[in-house]
Amino acid sequence: MIAELRRRGWKIWIYTTSSRSPWYIRHWLLLHGIHVNGIINSERHRTTPGSRFIQRLPSKFPPAFGIDLHVDDSEGVEMEGQAYGFRVVQVDPHDLGWMHKVLNAVDTIRLG
């Protein structure tokens, strides 16, 4: 999935509510052969300059980091996307077609 997204010209970021350091997360992913362009953990999320204009910060706020599409398994994050105006594709990890759902969303953004 990540290789296909990269082939299509997308950058890959990890946005997590974890308090683990970006260094730890990056190296853990590298152990699994996954290369990412950036990592946003709970501290970076909480202290981002773009979020200071929002009274109640959502659990994730991709626009503050220039992220065009957020993929998450949480229905709550999808609802926050609707409320705060950012694109979210909610996937169910048990859905064998989740990758096609993401690629369709990516194609829609590129075409639209």
Side-chain angles (χ1 to χ4, degrees), residues 36-87:
V36 297
N37 296 92
I39 297 170
I40 302 153
N41 66 355
S42 61
E43 180 180 348
R44 187 166 180 199
H45 167 76
R46 205 175 49 255
T47 59
T48 184
S51 65
R52 68 175 171 237
F53 301 108
I54 300 174
Q55 284 188 350
R56 185 184 162 279
L57 190 61
S59 62
K60 295 178 180 172
F61 192 60
F65 302 95
I67 295 172
D68 296 318
L69 178 66
H70 182 81
V71 178
D72 208 290
D73 64 347
S74 169
E75 186 178 335
V77 172
E78 182 180 41
M79 292 167 54
E80 289 177 338
Q82 293 168 359
Y84 290 90
F86 58 88
R87 290 184 187 111

Side-chain angles (χ1 to χ4, degrees), residues 2 6 10-14 26 35-39 44:
I2 290 176
R6 283 191 184 287
W10 288 88
K11 293 180 181 174
I12 307 300
W13 283 66
I14 300 299
R26 183 178 303 279
H35 300 269
V36 297
N37 296 92
I39 297 170
R44 187 166 180 199

Side-chain angles (χ1 to χ4, degrees), residues 95-106:
D95 175 10
L96 298 178
W98 73 268
M99 290 184 280
H100 295 293
K101 188 174 182 179
V102 172
L103 293 175
N104 286 338
V106 164

